[in-house]
Amino acid sequence: MWGGRFAAGPDAIMEAINASIGFDKRLASQDIAGSRAHALMLAQQGIITDSDAQAIREGLLTVLSEIEAGEFVYSTALEDIHMNVESRLKEIIGEPAGRLHTARSRNDQVATDFKLWTRDQMDAAVSGLEALIRALMAQAEKGADWVMPGFTHLQTAQPVTWGHHMMAYVEMFGRDMSRFKDARTRMNESPLGSAALAGTGFPIDRHMTAEALGFDRPTANSLDAVADRDFGLEFLSCASITAMHLSRFAEELVIWSSAQFRFVALSDRFSTGSSIMPQKKNPDAAELIRAKVGRIFGANVALMMVMKGLPLAYSKDMQEDKEQVFDAADNLMLALAAMTGMVSDMNANTDNLRAAAASGFSTATDLADWLVREAGLPFRDAHHVTGALVAMAEKKGCDLPDLSLEEMTSVHEAITEGVYDVLTVENSVASRTSYGGTAPSQVRAQIARWKEVLG
Ligand code: ARG
């Protein structure tokens, strides 16, 4: 394809380091779609004949069907998917194939192909996230009023509801979804027709090819268009944040499914056994999801390092973009699907959740709030009195509601029988009706809001 000025072919090592066909074959359908749009445009602009364009466009469909049927023979000597496809086209249709590359370079071609591929993955990430959100919402609806401990520092803090905890993740994955949508809007400009870097003297119509490929418009600067991999980096950073969220939830599932916690039972479908310990049921899917953030964020860093310091416009360094994005996308989709399956299948152990919620003096804040509301104490004083009551209960080895009224009033005389109403975990969560709070009524409002968003 470029042998004109060369007397000798490349060394085998040169070929090995240079070729990208081993991985960029995944861009085949995007490459063919881009070429078909380009050929049609060339004919419409009178740059090639209609009959050549027709031969090219039909020939490309033949190539595509060979690829889809697994009959296509890829050649490392032909470097990449772009030259593999064009070379096969030449075998099929002959001379007109050589006219396809008019007013185009592999630089705008690869940017176009890779953008189309990444755009599909952004859409797939949005769908995957939506499925996960729906699974979380189903859990939230079931357990809008199941009481469980809320933690800070992984220490019992205040009782919360199961639905509230599920909906917290809905918010996180909802932001991830909007990040992918936002990145997609920004990246949806067509590089095709930027040619090698400077544009072309041929009277091409970049608006036409942009529209044909579903882009909103052509990119505005040809130098930028062939040098830009922001779309890959944005995909990777959105994927990294999503994977980080998945990892946090996976960590909770690992903890919750342990024999010490027993908050949830994961299904057999998403667990594995041990080859030596017959009793074991391990949360392997959760652990692997927890780990995926490592390679996905690694890909983000790797591409960032590839791109930093590259002078304009295209450099071959940029060929290192694809494997990072491919690997991250594959693993993100897998992690999303596995998490969705696990969430749909998991069973909360409501008795254990409630018992854990009631331990660790989790309603101490409710007691302090009661002293403020009913006895008129400043919150700082109420905090101090409650602290003394917790110390007393701890010394006795009992819980706050187990202290007698005499014991309570020995610490502060204003305490009355009414205090016992706020010491149950049910009343505690029911009282937290502030917007976004853990009360079942608020959780149901959150679910209703998300149902509207998702339609
Ligand atoms: N295989 C190359 C890549 O993935 C295609 C672009 C090659 N362009 C060039 N001028 N050598 O980046």
Side-chain angles (χ1 to χ4, degrees):
M1 293 279 174
W2 38 257
R5 74 163 337 270
F6 286 77
D11 189 272
I13 298 293
M14 177 63 211
E15 206 171 275
I17 195 173
N18 197 37
S20 53
I21 187 62
F23 48 87
D24 67 16
K25 55 170 77 137
R26 287 184 76 169
L27 300 178
S29 72
Q30 289 78 10
D31 193 68
I32 286 168
S35 290
R36 294 188 80 237
H38 185 68
L40 186 61
M41 180 278 292
L42 290 176
Q44 278 182 13
Q45 297 299 106
I47 300 167
I48 63 173
T49 64
D50 285 342
S51 68
D52 280 351
Q54 212 190 331
I56 290 169
R57 284 167 55 79
E58 277 169 18
L60 285 168
L61 287 184
T62 308
V63 177
L64 183 62
S65 64
E66 290 177 0
I67 289 171
E68 283 170 351
E71 290 159 4
F72 192 92
V73 186
Y74 295 100
S75 150
T76 309
L78 289 167
E79 279 186 44
D80 55 27
I81 187 64
H82 324 294
M83 304 223 280
N84 269 269
V85 168
E86 193 184 318
S87 158
R88 179 70 188 125
L89 181 66
K90 179 109 194 280
E91 286 172 6
I92 299 169
I93 69 166
E95 191 256 1
R99 301 188 188 279
L100 170 60
H101 213 52
T102 315
R104 186 178 77 169
S105 152
R106 271 189 294 158
N107 296 348
D108 58 336
Q109 193 178 353
V110 73
T112 305
D113 295 1
F114 193 31
K115 260 195 173 180
L116 290 172
W117 193 90
T118 306
R119 192 176 70 185
D120 282 350
Q121 295 301 308
M122 287 178 173
D123 292 341
V126 169
S127 311
L129 281 161
E130 192 182 320
L132 175 54
I133 285 172
R134 287 185 190 280
L136 286 162
M137 282 169 64
Q139 283 285 354
E141 258 185 316
K142 251 196 300 189
D145 53 10
W146 296 345
V147 183
M148 65 179 285
F151 298 95
T152 59
H153 316 267
L154 200 54
Q155 307 285 324
T156 303
Q158 294 173 349
V160 295
T161 47
W162 172 262
H164 196 218
H165 202 111
M166 295 300 120
M167 292 310 289
Y169 279 102
V170 168
E171 293 295 326
M172 291 148 83
F173 293 124
R175 286 193 296 275
D176 293 332
M177 205 159 75
S178 85
R179 263 185 283 272
F180 277 111
K181 286 183 183 169
D182 181 53
R184 187 199 200 280
T185 305
R186 197 170 16 263
M187 65 92 82
N188 203 28
E189 298 182 339
S190 172
L192 194 58
S194 297
L197 73 168
T200 174
F202 289 101
I204 60 171
D205 183 354
R206 294 191 57 211
H207 293 272
M208 186 238 135
T209 46
E211 207 192 310
L213 296 169
F215 288 111
D216 295 327
R217 63 191 80 82
T219 52
N221 180 302
S222 62
L223 268 177
D224 171 53
V226 294
D228 168 41
R229 291 296 181 270
D230 289 3
F231 58 96
L233 286 165
E234 282 202 55
F235 177 82
L236 292 172
S237 41
C238 297
S240 295
I241 298 175
T242 305
M244 175 274 287
H245 288 151
L246 286 168
S247 183
R248 293 180 75 171
F249 195 28
E251 166 72 358
E252 296 203 310
L253 294 181
V254 170
I255 295 173
W256 290 359
S257 62
S258 68
Q260 289 69 26
F261 270 73
R262 279 202 253 191
F263 283 6
V264 295
L266 299 177
S267 73
D268 289 356
R269 302 197 316 146
F270 287 96
S271 310
T272 55
S274 157
S275 52
I276 176 167
M277 296 165 283
Q279 86 284 10
K280 292 275 275 183
K281 189 166 156 188
N282 292 327
D284 291 38
E287 293 169 286
L288 288 162
I289 292 169
R290 186 171 59 183
K292 291 297 182 195
V293 66
R295 62 199 286 170
I296 293 173
F297 191 62
N300 192 7
V301 173
L303 184 54
M304 201 69 147
M305 292 303 104
V306 167
M307 295 306 294
K308 78 168 272 298
L310 284 189
L312 300 189
Y314 177 87
S315 295
K316 199 61 176 263
D317 310 49
M318 290 163 68
Q319 181 168 286
E320 293 281 317
D321 55 359
K322 284 171 275 302
E323 284 166 292
Q324 303 300 342
V325 178
F326 290 166
D327 185 75
D330 291 345
N331 283 285
L332 179 70
M333 303 314 155
L334 191 56
L336 282 170
M339 186 57 100
T340 304
M342 257 192 316
V343 170
S344 306
D345 279 16
M346 76 181 170
N347 271 314
N349 187 332
T350 52
D351 290 345
N352 286 351
L353 287 173
R354 196 201 174 279
S359 72
F361 311 108
S362 68
T363 54
T365 315
D366 299 88
L367 174 47
D369 288 349
W370 184 90
L371 286 165
V372 170
R373 229 177 20 246
E374 305 295 328
L377 267 66
F379 183 77
R380 289 297 165 207
D381 297 350
H383 185 286
H384 190 81
V385 170
T386 307
L389 289 166
V390 167
M392 178 187 274
E394 194 166 42
K395 206 155 139 206
K396 275 192 70 185
C398 71
D399 230 328
L400 280 174
D402 304 325
L403 292 175
S404 69
L405 189 59
E406 289 74 54
E407 286 167 324
M408 295 249 197
T409 48
S410 76
V411 176
H412 199 284
E413 70 282 357
I415 300 178
T416 65
E417 199 66 45
V419 77
Y420 290 97
D421 289 342
V422 302
L423 296 182
T424 69
V425 290
E426 282 76 15
N427 287 347
S428 169
V429 296
S431 75
R432 296 215 154 70
T433 53
S434 55
Y435 185 84
T438 204
S441 59
Q442 276 301 320
V443 171
R444 291 195 179 98
Q446 290 173 39
I447 297 170
R449 227 171 17 250
W450 269 101
K451 278 191 172 162
E452 225 165 89
V453 170
L454 297 180

